[in-house]
Amino acid sequence: MTAAVDPRVSVVIPCHSPRRWPLLVRAVDSVLGQSPRPARVVVAVDHNPDLLRWARAELSGVTVVPNRFARGVGGTRNSGIGHTDTPIVALLDDDAQARAGWLAALLAPLDDTGVIGTGGRAVPDWQRARPRWFPDEFLWAVGATFTDAPTTPTPARNVWSLSMAMRREAFDAVGGFKAEFSKVGARSRPEDTDLCLRMSRVNGGRWIHTPDAVVDHLVPTDRATLKYLLTRCYAEGRGKFALARRHRGSAGLDLEWRYLRRALPAAVVRGVADTLRGRDRWGVPRAGVVIAGAAAAALGGAAETVLCVSRVRADHPGSVSPEPPASTAPEAVATLWTEVTSGTDR
């Protein structure tokens, strides 16, 4: 019996590498298996002609299109969304697998016209056993939701583009993802946070974290290392400082400050206490990782600030570079640590 189709929604899956082909097939199958099914599934390929031909030849029941913008996931998503004509568009990354009920759960809050978009819960799918030293507070670094995230639909400042749904009209109103502020190769930028903030500012709608919309997000072995984690924290620090400059004073950062002042010190104290009391010998290493991750993020933020000043001087030789706004650094650090603790950002 053919599953019912929801004519309101299309799903876009960006991809870029033939090495992830089995994951792409898994992602596509998980979307086609939803009940109800989306009206259209679009696979958008990022500047890889071989993968484009392969996908067009092998994937059935989907539309396969090339990225017609600059290389990067932002342009790839924009290209895929451009081939949809439904009032709602959902996104799923090619290395994520949607569980049964994912699409229905994402769509449910959108019955409220005041909701601009939704985002689901990402469960880490470890290729090998999760390292004992890996703190819950850093699950965001591997694209997974923090274990203490809300368990009921909850308003959120932003959601993750690896699993989200949004109103197409509001997306178009802000021009979609910004290609210059997007993940390209090893460079990471919080392009989904940027999009959510711009859409909320223009439309005034709310984003909803929807925990019943669950995806399993692959964590390959090479991402379950301390080197990767610290590199990711450094990149995130850079990205969040850049984000703070783009959205000066618009984000409402009270929660970030509370997490920065309370949650992270509590994680360190808890880890040390667990080891001293004999409950878990990995508590102290986890506490050390939290401290090291914070330091890496701060270093990334400092590097981004220096680069910003250098660009200003290069663009205006002989001029005096303006001091960054006093709020930029603390706001960016606070923003980073919200996602460390809430799992509603990345």
Side-chain angles (χ1 to χ4, degrees):
M1 184 176 178
T2 303
V5 173
D6 191 325
R8 298 175 299 165
V9 61
S10 299
V11 177
V12 173
I13 304 174
C15 62
H16 68 282
S17 172
R19 290 178 296 178
R20 291 161 65 136
W21 176 257
L23 300 176
L24 174 61
V25 172
R26 185 184 74 162
V28 169
D29 288 345
S30 74
V31 171
L32 293 176
Q34 295 295 306
S35 181
R37 292 176 58 162
R40 175 176 290 184
V41 178
V42 178
V43 172
V45 182
D46 188 11
H47 292 274
N48 192 312
D50 291 338
L51 180 57
L52 181 68
R53 286 191 294 269
W54 192 0
R56 283 177 168 169
E58 298 294 333
L59 296 178
S60 60
V62 305
T63 301
V64 181
V65 301
N67 176 10
R68 59 187 180 88
F69 301 104
R71 189 170 72 92
V73 70
T76 307
R77 292 188 180 115
N78 287 345
S79 295
I81 292 171
H83 282 79
T84 67
D85 57 5
T86 51
I88 299 172
V89 178
L91 298 173
L92 181 72
D93 275 5
D94 66 337
D95 58 353
Q97 180 179 26
R99 294 187 186 179
W102 167 76
L103 187 59
L106 281 181
L107 294 175
L110 289 163
D111 289 338
D112 180 348
T113 57
V115 174
I116 196 173
T118 62
R121 178 165 60 97
V123 176
D125 179 14
W126 299 91
Q127 192 171 37
R128 292 187 180 177
R130 172 180 171 173
R132 298 287 298 277
W133 52 263
F134 200 106
D136 281 351
E137 290 80 7
F138 282 89
L139 284 171
W140 62 266
V142 292
T145 305
F146 183 42
T147 53
D148 283 353
T151 56
T152 58
T154 305
R157 185 191 58 201
N158 58 274
V159 298
W160 289 353
S161 53
L162 76 87
S163 170
M164 72 186 297
M166 58 192 165
R167 298 191 187 279
R168 172 69 185 274
E169 183 179 13
F171 177 84
D172 288 343
V174 300
F177 290 97
K178 295 300 183 184
E180 74 276 9
F181 196 72
S182 175
K183 178 176 174 58
V184 181
R187 188 197 76 180
S188 181
R189 284 289 186 267
E191 72 277 349
D192 39 16
T193 307
D194 173 65
L195 177 72
C196 291
L197 291 174
R198 287 187 289 113
M199 287 177 63
S200 294
R201 187 165 63 243
V202 169
N203 178 276
R206 305 187 308 278
W207 290 89
I208 301 293
H209 169 64
T210 310
D212 290 340
V214 183
V215 302
D216 295 293
H217 192 211
L218 181 70
V219 184
T221 302
D222 61 358
R223 294 189 180 185
T225 65
L226 183 59
K227 178 181 178 180
Y228 175 82
L229 179 60
L230 296 181
T231 301
R232 183 72 178 83
C233 288
Y234 174 85
E236 194 67 14
R238 288 195 60 182
K240 284 308 173 77
F241 271 65
L243 182 74
R245 289 197 304 273
R246 294 173 67 91
H247 296 276
R248 218 165 280 143
S250 67
L253 299 172
D254 291 345
L255 288 176
E256 284 86 343
W257 277 113
R258 184 157 70 247
Y259 283 124
L260 177 64
R261 292 167 177 166
R262 299 178 186 176
L264 292 183
V268 173
V269 170
R270 184 171 59 251
V272 172
D274 284 347
T275 295
L276 293 179
R277 293 171 183 171
R279 290 198 294 256
D280 186 356
R281 68 186 182 90
W282 289 96
V284 165
R286 281 196 296 273
V289 170
V290 171
I291 294 171
L299 182 61
E304 183 68 21
T305 300
V306 170
L307 286 172
C308 176
V309 173
S310 298
R311 292 189 198 106
V312 171
R313 288 176 174 169
D315 292 340
H316 304 281
S319 66
V320 178
S321 299
E323 289 294 324
S327 62
T328 297
E331 284 183 0
V333 172
T335 302
L336 170 67
W337 291 122
T338 286
E339 61 178 77
V340 168
T341 52
S342 72
T344 56
D345 198 347
R346 83 169 173 179

